[in-house]
Amino acid sequence: MREHLEAVVDALRRLRAEGSTHVFVSDDTLERLRTTFAPRGGAMAIEAETEAEQFVEPASFSPVPASTPARRPTAGSSSTAALRWDGQPIAKLPAPLEIKLPKGSKMEQMNWLRDRVLNCEVCNAHLRPGRKLVFGVGTPEAEIFFCGEGPGADEEQQGEPFVGPAGQLLTKIIQAMGLSRDKVYIGNVMKWRPEMPTEWGNREPTPEEVAFSLPFLRAQLDIVKPKVIVALGNTAVIALLGLDPETKMKDYRGKWHEFNGVPLMFTYHPSYLLRNTALSVKRQVWENMLLVMEKVGLPINEKQRGYFLKG
Ligand code: URA
C-alpha cells in the first residue's frame, strides 16, 4: 500500500517540477483512491469539493519537506521508482549498445533497426509480461520528427507510440498542422515503459535508462534525417541536447535549438496540455508548431494562424 501512496506522491512531485500548480482529479479517480487508501473506511485525506471538478495543489498533497528537490525521481531515489511490477528491484543496465546502420534505403535501415530493437534482450527484460516494446511510427521520409519520453500503459499494450490520451492530443495537433501521423515520424527516448510496481501511473526514466535507449533514438534520427525535431517535454529535450536535468526548462521552451545540425523545437508534452487546459498554454504550443510549419515550408492559412487566440 505504501508503494502505491509513494507512486502518487512521486507523480505529484513530478507535476510540480514541470510547473503544474493544479491537478484535475475526476470523481472516478477519487473513488479509486478512496478504495485504495481507505479500504476499511478509514479517514480520507482526499475529499471532493464538487461533483464534477476537483483541483488539488500538488504541493499541499505531498508529505515531502519543501526543501527536498522536486525533480526527477531516479531508481533508488524512491522505493517506487526502484521496483518492478513484481516488487523486485529493477535490473541494472549494461553500457549502451553501439549501433552501426547497414547500407540501404531509409526503409531498409528502419526495418533493420526496428528488428534490432524488438529483439533487444535488455529491452525485453525490462518489459512487463505480455506488454510490447514501442519502436516508432510514421514515414522514414518525414520532415518532422516528434520525440516524446517513452511509452505509457496504452502504448506498451499496443506497441505504438502516442496512442493514449496524450497521443490522441498529439494526433490532433499534427492534424491541425495539416498533416497526419503517417506523414511525420513519431518516436520516444525510451522503447520500453519505465518499470513501475503499479499498472497505472508513469515515472520518468532514470539517466541510465535514457543513456541505454538513446542510441536507438539517435539511429532513428540518423535514418529519417528530418528537417525539424520537435522535442515533447523535458525528458526528450534533456536527452537530445544533453542538458543538466536541473536546467530551467522555461528558458529553453519555444526556442530553436540544434541536434546534430537539425533544428530542434522544444515544446510542452501533450500530457501537460491535458492537465493544464488554459487557452494560453494551448496557444504557446500552437505558436511553437507555427514556427515548425514555417521552418519546413508548410502552408499556413489565416484560420490556422488564429487558433487559440481569444475571440
Ligand atoms: N508519452 C510519451 O512521451 N510517449 C508516448 O508514446 C506516450 C505518452
Side-chain angles (χ1 to χ4, degrees):
M1 197 66 71
R2 179 158 183 80
E3 298 94 73
H4 290 80
L5 185 54
E6 285 180 1
V8 173
V9 171
D10 271 349
L12 290 170
R13 288 173 64 197
R14 178 179 172 184
L15 293 178
R16 186 177 57 188
E18 287 172 0
S20 295
T21 52
H22 294 78
V23 175
F24 172 76
V25 184
S26 67
D27 284 349
D28 182 46
T29 304
L30 275 176
E31 195 45 44
R32 283 206 211 181
L33 289 168
R34 184 173 280 122
T35 49
T36 306
F37 297 129
R40 289 179 296 279
M44 273 298 302
I46 310 151
E47 283 298 336
E49 278 167 10
T50 66
E51 276 293 294
E53 282 183 329
Q54 167 73 10
F55 294 90
V56 180
E57 276 191 49
S60 68
F61 221 112
S62 171
V64 179
S67 59
T68 305
R71 302 187 66 84
R72 328 223 114 226
T74 57
S77 74
S78 88
S79 60
T80 50
L83 298 179
R84 340 189 292 175
W85 57 91
D86 54 4
Q88 295 301 308
I90 295 171
K92 254 193 98 49
L93 287 161
L97 305 169
E98 207 180 304
I99 297 187
K100 200 161 177 292
L101 291 171
K103 290 211 178 337
S105 69
K106 286 185 175 212
M107 191 57 92
E108 283 164 349
Q109 287 184 319
M110 199 59 104
N111 288 341
W112 177 90
L113 185 63
R114 178 184 292 104
D115 205 51
R116 182 96 203 255
V117 168
L118 299 187
N119 288 299
C120 159
E121 266 180 42
V122 175
C123 306
N124 278 292
H126 288 267
L127 269 188
R128 189 181 274 263
R131 302 303 152 86
K132 295 180 179 154
L133 294 172
V134 177
F135 178 67
V137 282
T139 170
E141 307 289 341
E143 295 191 332
I144 307 176
F145 191 122
F146 290 89
C147 180
E149 174 177 301
D154 295 299
E155 289 76 21
E156 69 166 1
Q157 294 255 15
Q158 296 184 41
E160 181 166 336
F162 284 101
V163 290
Q168 287 158 27
L169 184 52
L170 176 62
T171 304
K172 282 190 189 157
I173 293 171
I174 291 169
Q175 287 166 347
M177 296 167 80
L179 298 167
S180 54
R181 283 172 72 99
D182 57 1
K183 297 237 160 40
V184 299
Y185 198 87
I186 306 174
N188 278 313
V189 176
M190 293 293 299
K191 306 305 182 214
W192 70 85
R193 180 182 176 205
E195 291 147 293
M196 295 280 290
T198 52
E199 281 268 355
W200 43 274
N202 292 309
R203 68 164 170 84
E204 280 177 61
T206 64
E208 293 73 29
E209 287 167 336
V210 169
F212 185 83
S213 307
L214 207 48
F216 296 127
L217 174 61
R218 282 176 168 278
Q220 283 172 302
L221 284 161
D222 246 20
I223 296 168
V224 177
K225 294 194 179 33
K227 282 191 184 164
V228 168
I229 301 167
V230 179
L232 301 163
N234 296 357
T235 299
V237 78
I238 288 170
L240 286 168
L241 300 186
L243 299 177
D244 179 333
E246 298 303 319
T247 305
K248 287 226 176 333
M249 289 304 155
K250 76 172 172 37
D251 299 341
Y252 277 74
R253 202 172 286 116
K255 301 195 178 114
W256 286 112
H257 306 279
E258 230 182 68
F259 172 84
N260 281 355
V262 181
L264 180 150
M265 172 56 64
F266 168 42
T267 195
Y268 284 111
H269 193 285
S271 65
Y272 180 76
L273 292 180
L274 291 177
R275 298 192 297 269
N276 186 337
T277 55
L279 193 68
S280 58
V281 182
K282 290 193 179 92
R283 179 67 196 177
Q284 271 184 62
V285 171
W286 184 243
E287 281 179 7
N288 300 163
M289 292 308 102
L290 288 173
L291 291 176
V292 168
M293 291 167 75
E294 276 165 9
K295 185 71 103 186
V296 301
L298 279 173
I300 307 177
N301 59 35
E302 276 317 294
K303 193 170 165 207
Q304 282 172 314
R305 288 217 180 269
Y307 285 164
F308 308 116
L309 282 176
K310 287 198 184 81

